[in-house]
Amino acid sequence: GDSVTQMEGPVTLSEEAFLTINCTYTATGYPSLFWYVQYPGEGLQLLLKATKADDKGSNKGFEATYRKETTSFHLEKGSVQVSDSAVYFCALTQGGSEKLVFGKGTKLTVNP
Amino acid sequence: DAGVTQSPTHLIKTRGQQVTLRCSPKSGHDTVSWYQQALGQGPQFIFQYYEEEERQRGNFPDRFSGHQFPNYSSELNVNALLLGDSALYLCASSLRTGEEAFFGQGTRLTVV
C-alpha cells in the first residue's frame, strides 16, 4: 500500500538557520502531497500542498516541490524562527476525499 | 466560522469500558474522517463518513465504529477499550469534492 517516509528527528536548529526535512513516498498512480504542522497541544494544520509533478507548494516561507522522478517532497525554509518549533508531517492522498497517509513526523526545535 | 470542533478534549477510561468521541465539521463540509495518533507517531486513518455511511475504513478492528448524523456531525465509538487505545483521536472534515482536510484539536484518550 501507499506509504510515506520522512527523516527521523528530532531536528534542532538555531534561529535563522536553513531547514530541510526530507520526505519520500511510495504510491500507485499520482498522489497529491501535503505538509502538515502540529504545534504543541494542537491538531494538524495544513502548511502547503502540491497536486501534480513539478508543482511547488509554498506558505509562510516554507517550500516543497513535488518530484515524481525521485518520489520526494522535501520541506525547506531559508531562515527558521523560534515560532516554527513544531512537529511536521508529510502526507499523501490519492486525491479528492481519499484518506491521508502520513509519515511519522519530524519534531523541529528552533533555539534563539 | 468555528472550524472543526471535537469533544471532549481529554478523557480517562478504564480497560474494558466503552467511549464515544464527538466531532462537528467545518461549516459547509459534508465528509468526516477519523484518525488515531499514538504518541510520537503520525496519524493513522480509522474511517470516513459521507452521507451518513462509512465509505472507507483503515486497518482497525470492529471495536471501532462510527456514525454520521444528518447535520454532518460524527461520533467515534470504541468498545472494550485496551491500554493500546490510548492516543490522540483526530477528526478531519472536508468537502467530498475537495482536496483539503481541516483537522480539529483532537481528543486525548487515556485508558488505564
Side-chain angles (χ1 to χ4, degrees), chain B residues 55-98:
Chain B
R55 300 292 179 172
Q56 300 178 63
R57 189 177 183 92
N59 189 24
F60 280 81
D62 291 345
R63 297 186 298 109
F64 289 76
S65 63
H67 189 77
Q68 186 179 35
F69 299 93
N71 66 353
Y72 307 120
S73 67
S74 177
E75 290 182 348
L76 163 66
N77 301 292
V78 187
N79 294 322
L81 283 166
L82 303 174
L83 294 179
D85 295 332
S86 296
L88 180 68
Y89 288 85
L90 294 166
C91 171
S93 75
S94 59
L95 281 171
R96 187 67 177 167
T97 55

Side-chain angles (χ1 to χ4, degrees), chain A residues 91-102:
Chain A
L92 68 81
T93 182
Q94 289 291 1
S97 60
E98 295 297 312
K99 67 178 182 182
L100 284 158
V101 176
F102 287 89

Side-chain angles (χ1 to χ4, degrees), chain B residues 40-51:
Chain B
Q41 300 295 314
Q44 298 289 316
F45 176 75
I46 303 174
F47 44 53
Q48 183 185 84
Y49 277 83
Y50 171 69
E51 290 186 337

Side-chain angles (χ1 to χ4, degrees), chain A residues 32 34 36 38 41-46 49 51 87 89 93 95-105, chain B residues 31 35 37 40-45 48 56 58 88 90 94-101 103-106:
Chain A
S32 296
F34 304 81
Y36 279 85
Q38 187 173 38
E42 298 187 12
L44 300 177
Q45 298 176 25
L46 178 65
K49 66 179 183 182
T51 57
V87 181
F89 293 94
T93 182
S97 60
E98 295 297 312
K99 67 178 182 182
L100 284 158
V101 176
F102 287 89
K104 290 186 176 182
Chain B
T31 301
Y35 291 82
Q37 185 180 13
Q41 300 295 314
Q44 298 289 316
F45 176 75
Q48 183 185 84
Q56 300 178 63
L88 180 68
L90 294 166
S94 59
L95 281 171
R96 187 67 177 167
T97 55
E99 277 281 351
E100 183 175 345
F103 283 80
Q105 291 196 333

